[in-house]
Amino acid sequence: MAAREGTRRRTVSLLAAVWAAGALTGCQTIADAASTSGCEGTESRVDDLKSYGVLDSRPQGTIEPGGFEGLDAGCWEDSGEAQLYAERTYVFPGDKADVTQHYRAAAEREGWKPSPATRRSSKADRPTNLCFTRDEAENSAMLDVYFLTKEILDAEETRTGPEFDSGVGYRVAVTSSADGSTTSCSD
């Protein structure tokens, strides 16, 4: 699991964004998802997260912006809580509604279950951050699709290229607690 430059900062910001987005989308991890063993020995579970097809799914015309190429994955640990993640960052030249429509369909095809907030936003047919869950044999995962704001990118101390000026920047992230405990989207 080779770390790219800025991975730790992006991961910290990712988790901060996921938790902040939780207030807006109804997605959040359960507080007791802390791992007693931390990141040690989680490589195969990170590989499991990387294998979800939704991470490679994207609307036609979407690009990977400079500095964000490829899949970023690993384990992040802070204050005894360890979280596994696999994420991709994209820029789409259209609007947010096309992105949310694409990922609702892609997540459904892969068996992800939408949060109540994601289901409500679907009925309203409006673009929004999305949150889905998936529970498999003692392993729970959460899928977030969220739009990148200037505040998120600034917190990551990320320098963005001109691609971000040409469309909508967003991130697709699959996360799980390192100990396999339940991760969920809530109302």
Side-chain angles (χ1 to χ4, degrees):
M1 294 188 301
R4 293 191 312 209
E5 182 179 337
T7 297
R8 179 167 286 273
R9 280 180 290 196
R10 275 204 312 273
T11 302
V12 169
S13 296
L14 165 69
L15 291 173
V18 167
W19 289 321
L24 299 173
T25 66
C27 297
Q28 61 186 19
T29 57
I30 295 177
D32 65 344
S35 171
T36 57
S37 63
C39 290
E40 188 176 320
T42 60
E43 293 82 5
S44 67
R45 293 210 37 242
V46 170
D47 288 341
D48 290 343
L49 293 183
K50 292 173 12 181
S51 70
Y52 286 113
V54 71
L55 290 166
D56 295 318
S57 179
R58 54 188 173 176
Q60 188 172 0
T62 300
I63 62 165
E64 291 181 307
F68 294 94
E69 296 91 350
L71 180 67
D72 188 15
C75 181
W76 175 78
E77 185 175 9
D78 184 34
S79 303
E81 294 185 35
Q83 293 287 318
L84 309 179
Y85 71 95
E87 66 182 24
R88 286 192 181 272
T89 301
Y90 295 114
V91 173
F92 178 65
D95 62 28
K96 290 179 180 181
D98 293 331
V99 173
T100 56
Q101 180 181 8
H102 174 84
Y103 284 100
R104 279 187 183 114
E108 182 179 309
R109 281 191 304 271
E110 201 169 281
W112 292 91
K113 302 215 179 339
S115 72
T118 295
R119 281 193 302 273
R120 284 190 299 274
S121 70
S122 177
K123 290 177 184 171
D125 199 30
R126 63 177 188 222
T128 187
N129 293 329
L130 305 171
C131 188
F132 302 85
T133 58
R134 189 173 182 138
D135 291 314
E136 300 171 335
E138 297 183 29
N139 189 19
S140 177
M142 185 169 61
L143 165 66
D144 281 299
V145 179
Y146 61 96
F147 297 102
L148 297 170
T149 64
K150 181 177 179 352
E151 291 79 18
I152 291 171
L153 295 169
D154 286 349
E156 293 176 355
E157 299 178 9
T158 302
R159 289 182 28 173
T160 60
E163 302 94 341
F164 280 89
D165 296 330
S166 67
V168 176
Y170 69 94
R171 192 163 286 147
V172 181
V174 177
T175 59
S176 180
S177 62
D179 66 1
S181 61
T182 301
T183 302
S184 67
C185 299
S186 63
D187 286 335

